Amino acid sequence: MEETMVSSFSGALNFLALGLGVVLLFAVAYLWSSNSNKTAELERIQSELKRMKKTLTALQEKVNQIREPKVISEVPQAEPFGLDLSEPRSSSITPLAPQDPWLNFVDDYNKLAEVMKNPGQLMKCEKFVREHKLRILTYGGAMTFRTAIDVKDSSYWAFKCGLDEYAVVPNPMNPCDEELHEHGGMKEIYALNYQDGVYRKYFVKLPAIVNLNGDGVWQIKNPGVVNLERK
């Protein structure tokens, strides 16, 4: 739109200059033919003509300046179709979930349970209990626990996760038989694949999460998941 208006204005200026030139040419011819004594008038007309030419020249220069192309110093980056190259918004970034505090403990426990068929079981378990600062427990029935006298006589080990929260696993030295399953708390504390007979190997997929309240009463928050093997 602006380009069209500038072109029209420039054309009008050129037409005006041409028209003035023709008119002045006829005026000069008339004055020379009618009266040679009108030299002063002729000089005035010539001076006016020069002034008008200067004015037209100045106007033409301004028009040319308007029509000069603009130089863009920086070309904006064009994004590929379908891709957003803008900076990610912090609100759209999902933070990583916190790691469960018992993960390393359970991993170490399963490695210990793997070698229970080898000699030196008791020494390995006692060392494991010391290193992980475990509480050793026996099952008292009706979802109650008591502190065991030593590692050999314990049924469950409790790893402290928080202020009052513990991850509980079975003692890997004690095979899971019918007595332990039915009356020793295994079926209440864990979801497991026990059917009958004796299972000698434990693999803890999830420990039981148990809370210890201020009165010394243990309460199961989440049952665990244990896989049993007969070998």
Side-chain angles (χ1 to χ4, degrees):
M1 183 67 177
E2 182 179 356
E3 182 72 20
T4 303
M5 293 178 64
V6 171
S7 298
S8 300
F9 184 60
S10 177
L13 288 175
N14 293 333
F15 182 77
L16 178 59
L18 180 60
L20 288 173
V22 172
V23 171
L24 291 173
L25 181 61
F26 278 103
V28 171
Y30 171 75
L31 290 173
W32 275 103
S33 61
S34 60
N35 191 352
S36 59
N37 294 327
K38 294 183 179 180
T39 304
E41 184 68 19
L42 178 61
E43 290 178 352
R44 187 187 65 79
I45 293 174
Q46 288 177 340
S47 177
E48 185 68 20
L49 177 60
K50 291 179 181 180
R51 187 185 66 81
M52 294 184 65
K53 284 184 177 181
K54 289 181 180 181
T55 302
L56 289 174
T57 302
L59 289 175
Q60 186 64 42
E61 289 178 355
K62 290 184 178 181
V63 171
N64 292 336
Q65 291 176 359
I66 295 175
R67 297 178 64 181
E68 288 182 357
K70 296 181 179 179
V71 178
I72 301 177
S73 58
E74 294 183 2
V75 180
Q77 182 181 3
E79 297 181 358
F81 178 77
L83 296 179
D84 184 8
L85 301 181
S86 59
E87 292 293 330
R89 291 173 292 180
S90 58
S91 60
S92 63
I93 300 176
T94 303
L96 295 176
Q99 185 179 21
D100 291 318
W102 46 259
L103 284 177
N104 291 335
F105 163 69
V106 168
D107 185 56
D108 292 341
Y109 170 86
N110 287 328
K111 292 177 182 178
L112 175 68
E114 183 70 28
V115 298
M116 280 297 97
K117 60 184 178 181
N118 299 332
Q121 298 178 4
L122 180 58
M123 293 182 60
K124 292 176 182 177
C125 289
E126 288 176 340
K127 180 181 179 182
F128 185 85
V129 168
R130 288 195 305 269
E131 289 178 346
H132 291 82
K133 301 178 181 180
L134 306 181
R135 299 189 65 166
I136 53 176
L137 308 171
T138 60
Y139 187 69
M143 292 308 300
T144 61
F145 297 89
R146 295 188 297 268
T147 300
I149 298 174
D150 54 35
V151 174
K152 181 178 62 176
D153 295 329
S154 65
S155 300
Y156 301 97
W157 298 346
F159 173 78
K160 191 170 185 179
C161 301
L163 183 61
D164 299 316
E165 189 173 88
Y166 291 80
V168 176
V169 296
N171 183 343
M173 288 189 295
N174 298 335
C176 183
D177 54 14
E178 186 175 356
E179 176 66 21
L180 184 61
H181 179 262
E182 295 296 327
H183 308 291
M186 287 294 292
K187 67 178 183 180
E188 286 84 11
I189 303 173
Y190 303 103
L192 35 76
N193 59 323
Y194 181 85
Q195 294 180 354
D196 56 35
V198 179
Y199 294 79
R200 300 186 180 278
K201 183 179 177 182
Y202 297 92
F203 183 86
V204 173
K205 295 182 177 179
L206 290 173
I209 304 302
V210 181
N211 289 335
L212 177 62
N213 62 27
D215 298 328
V217 178
W218 297 83
Q219 295 178 334
I220 291 184
K221 180 180 179 181
N222 294 315
V225 179
V226 174
N227 185 58
L228 300 174
E229 295 183 20
R230 293 190 184 276
K231 58 182 179 179

